Amino acid sequence: MQSMALYITKRVFYAMIVLLVLSFVVFSFIRLIPGDPVRMALGPSVPEDVVQRMRSDLNFDKPIPVQYFYWLRGVFLRGDFGQSLWTRRNVSEDIAEFLPRSIELSVAAALMILVLGVALGTFSALFRDTWVDNVVRIFSYLGVVTPPYAFAIFFMLLFAFYWRLFPVGGMPELPAELRTTGMVVFDSLIHGRFGIAADGLRHLFLPAVSLSVGSIAYQARMHRSAVIDNIGKDYISFARVVGVKGRTVIAKHLMKPSFIPSLTIFGLQVGALLGNAFLIEVMFQYPGFSRYSLNVIMTKDPYGVVAVTLVFGVIFALMNILIDLGVAWLDPRVRLRTSE
């Protein structure tokens, strides 16, 4: 237990160093790009003295290392990521408003990836070289090579315009008295407002499916390969010889080692969901963090860009740590190495 705690502490420490370096590099690069973000935000008709005053308020008139020091001090002492030139408010408020919506979308997509990807990969491997396997493999190839926005257009035309089963886009507004986490479906459920939760799920379904189809296909391919690789191992043959039932062999002896590579792929896919959601959130007019990120990048919002990059970095770092812990739990050999 102590060795695992030490291992986690080291990983968190290394992740913090990487995030600090990442934030400084992005902070420096965004300030070195030609063009004045303050002038872009205020417009060409604003007097120069107003522009200079705003530069001074944002510390843009100081050297880049000094700017970064002030920004980092605000982040650690007050949780203040600076003022956004796009929304004209604190970036921390923007993160609190937009990030929960994207987390909700990513969680929905991640559940689809995990359940459908593993299920399709398992069925494809167990019914290898049958029509079931062929259908899953064709779906996998199509899913991997087709970009998410193509699925979004197809699902939008089919389910929203032709069959009218789901709304085209947007997300219902959550009443202030129900706002706990900022996630529409989750907050509605914990407050017993099932009508709002059902409406939120209807708005969430098409973006989540469009975002997850490619990852489901890739997850199915990887899990199929892992199951086929393990199904011929000696311990599986031994379990069958001694009379262990087929379902028990699959559930207890086959799925656990087969899930180790799938878990690694799944973790990386979940970490990338927010970054992959740019076009999906724009196409479905979904008020999420990825759409906000695109706007701050397009407007060259310095503090917004750095905060967005840092949030994505934190998510990737957490996912990598969770993946390592999950693999260590599934594989005793990894646990043994981490305890040495």
Side-chain angles (χ1 to χ4, degrees):
M1 182 64 70
Q2 291 181 352
S3 59
M4 184 60 69
L6 180 61
Y7 173 76
I8 295 174
T9 303
K10 288 182 178 179
R11 290 300 306 271
V12 172
F13 177 72
Y14 294 149
M16 290 182 63
I17 294 177
V18 171
L19 292 173
L20 283 174
V21 174
L22 176 66
S23 64
F24 179 74
V25 170
V26 174
F27 191 96
S28 302
F29 280 0
I30 195 66
R31 294 294 293 120
L32 292 174
I33 295 176
D36 186 357
V38 177
R39 173 59 72 181
M40 291 173 59
L42 296 179
S45 59
V46 176
E48 185 62 27
D49 61 323
V50 177
V51 176
Q52 291 293 344
R53 185 162 58 250
M54 189 170 186
R55 287 197 192 103
S56 178
D57 293 340
L58 296 174
N59 297 316
F60 287 173
D61 57 342
K62 297 177 176 61
I64 291 178
V66 178
Q67 294 180 37
Y68 180 75
F69 170 77
Y70 284 136
W71 176 81
L72 195 64
R73 186 180 63 179
V75 171
F76 278 105
L77 295 182
R78 303 184 301 275
D80 182 3
F81 286 88
Q83 182 182 353
S84 170
L85 296 176
W86 179 61
T87 61
R88 303 295 180 86
R89 61 180 183 177
N90 196 289
V91 177
S92 304
E93 299 177 19
D94 295 336
I95 295 174
E97 178 179 348
F98 295 111
L99 184 58
R101 300 280 182 89
S102 284
I103 290 178
E104 191 169 40
L105 175 61
S106 298
V107 168
L111 290 176
M112 293 180 182
I113 295 169
L114 181 63
V115 175
L116 296 179
V118 171
L120 290 175
T122 302
F123 279 113
S124 181
L126 295 179
F127 296 95
R128 186 180 181 184
D129 296 329
T130 65
W131 68 269
V132 175
D133 185 25
N134 292 332
V135 169
V136 173
R137 291 170 71 181
I138 292 173
F139 163 75
S140 299
Y141 293 140
L142 290 176
V144 170
V145 302
T146 306
Y149 65 82
F151 286 117
I153 295 173
F154 174 74
F155 293 143
M156 200 181 297
L157 290 173
L158 187 63
F159 294 105
F161 290 104
Y162 184 71
W163 287 336
R164 299 184 182 277
L165 297 176
F166 298 97
V168 177
M171 195 68 176
E173 195 64 35
L174 193 66
E177 64 273 12
L178 302 182
R179 189 180 296 274
T180 303
T181 65
M183 304 181 193
V184 175
V185 176
F186 182 76
D187 288 351
S188 302
L189 288 175
I190 63 176
H191 286 92
R193 302 292 291 271
F194 300 108
I196 299 177
D199 191 26
L201 285 173
R202 291 182 67 247
H203 283 79
L204 196 64
F205 182 77
L206 287 185
V209 172
S210 303
L211 184 61
S212 63
V213 169
S215 297
I216 291 172
Y218 190 69
Q219 185 79 20
R221 290 189 65 185
M222 294 298 102
H223 194 70
R224 175 185 181 275
S225 300
V227 173
I228 290 175
D229 182 60
N230 286 304
I231 203 170
K233 295 292 180 64
D234 292 340
Y235 63 89
I236 298 295
S237 301
F238 178 78
R240 287 173 172 170
V241 168
V242 298
V244 180
K245 294 182 179 180
R247 292 183 179 179
T248 305
V249 171
I250 295 172
K252 187 175 181 181
H253 301 287
L254 180 60
M255 291 303 295
K256 188 174 180 179
S258 300
F259 192 65
I260 293 174
S262 300
L263 178 62
T264 303
I265 299 298
F266 172 73
L268 296 176
Q269 289 175 331
V270 171
L273 281 177
L274 281 178
N276 294 336
F278 283 108
L279 283 177
I280 298 299
E281 290 190 359
V282 171
M283 293 178 69
F284 286 97
Q285 295 296 301
Y286 188 83
F289 189 70
S290 294
R291 187 180 172 193
Y292 166 79
S293 304
L294 183 62
N295 287 320
V296 297
I297 292 172
M298 295 296 293
T299 56
K300 196 192 166 190
D301 186 347
Y303 292 137
V305 171
V306 177
V308 164
T309 306
L310 197 59
V311 168
F312 286 149
V314 169
I315 291 173
F316 267 103
L318 287 176
M319 288 308 304
N320 283 328
I321 293 174
L322 292 176
I323 289 169
D324 290 344
L325 294 177
V327 171
W329 177 71
L330 289 172
D331 192 344
R333 295 169 298 178
V334 176
R335 286 202 297 270
L336 180 62
R337 285 198 296 268
T338 57
S339 62
E340 291 176 351

